Amino acid sequence: MFRQSALLIKDTVSKEAYEQVKTELATLNADIELVKANIAQTELRAPFDGIIGLREVSVGSCASPSTFIARLTKISPLKIEFHVIERYASSIYKGMKLTFQVDEKLSVFNATVYATDSRVTEDTRTLAVRALYPNSDGLLFPGRHISVNLKLNEISNAIAIPTEAIVPELDIDKVYLYKSGKA
């Protein structure tokens, strides 16, 4: 613009050419201001609440709609996926209650089955099962190793004894009751 002004003063450029350059400069400045305003208003919104992980893009980097910026992880409710051997596949149903434990925690957590796969996996002979844990306190994080406990059948009035207490004799197993010093 300054060059064009100097040329106009020396009468080496026409007034029309000068005005055209002046208009182009004003248009470019307006475009720059629009881009700055759009950048200032740029905001990323996720379709759910969660915890954002490590940033994968540096400040000032150029990003496109397909650029991976960071991982957002949903932590409430937590989805639990586990596999049940095919022998017990028919015993699993939607709404079934289960408990699980996280390795270093002594606490027992309750979850509910919400889906099962439609078939047993051929190579592992297991049924994929998914359950939900509310995790309303945000205490647990996804990706952790857990131990799942399912109560498949409950026999009322059953007596449970350790296998070491069973004494095999010929074709029969016996259990001795120790009471008042006598077996």
Side-chain angles (χ1 to χ4, degrees):
M1 182 68 188
F2 296 116
R3 181 170 184 250
Q4 293 295 329
S5 296
L7 291 174
L8 182 63
I9 292 170
K10 293 180 180 179
D11 207 21
T12 56
V13 70
S14 70
K15 180 82 170 162
E16 182 181 328
Y18 174 76
E19 291 299 325
Q20 184 178 358
V21 169
K22 189 175 171 182
T23 304
E24 287 174 5
L25 178 62
T27 303
L28 286 174
N29 283 334
D31 288 346
I32 290 170
E33 292 304 316
L34 181 64
V35 168
K36 284 181 180 178
N38 286 338
I39 288 172
Q41 293 176 2
T42 301
E43 183 175 84
L44 300 175
R45 291 188 181 262
F48 57 85
D49 290 336
I51 294 177
I52 195 158
L54 298 174
R55 182 183 50 170
E56 299 293 330
V57 177
S58 298
V59 175
S61 295
C62 186
S64 69
S66 63
T67 303
F68 180 78
I69 296 172
R71 181 179 326 284
L72 179 66
T73 305
K74 187 173 186 175
I75 63 164
S76 181
L78 277 182
K79 292 181 179 180
I80 300 167
E81 185 168 323
F82 58 97
H83 293 79
V84 175
I85 58 174
E86 71 179 319
R87 175 178 174 187
Y88 301 115
S90 61
S91 301
I92 309 300
Y93 56 90
K94 185 177 179 180
M96 182 177 197
K97 304 294 182 196
L98 62 95
T99 59
F100 69 94
Q101 288 182 285
V102 180
D103 285 342
E104 75 281 352
K105 296 193 182 299
L106 297 176
S107 303
V108 175
F109 303 95
N110 298 306
T112 306
V113 172
Y114 74 90
T116 61
D117 202 349
S118 59
R119 63 186 185 92
V120 171
T121 306
E122 291 180 29
D123 56 340
T124 61
R125 306 308 305 165
T126 59
L127 176 73
V129 181
R130 291 185 180 158
L132 283 177
Y133 169 65
N135 201 29
S136 52
D137 56 4
L139 186 63
L140 301 180
F141 289 97
R144 308 274 310 268
H145 184 285
I146 63 169
S147 298
V148 175
N149 297 309
L150 287 167
K151 191 183 292 187
L152 298 177
N153 295 321
E154 188 171 338
I155 303 170
S156 58
N157 299 325
I159 298 172
I161 60 169
T163 55
E164 297 85 20
I166 299 173
V167 179
E169 283 188 11
L170 298 175
D171 291 335
I172 195 165
D173 292 331
K174 291 185 178 184
V175 177
Y176 292 94
L177 175 66
Y178 181 78
K179 191 174 185 179
S180 302
K182 294 183 182 179

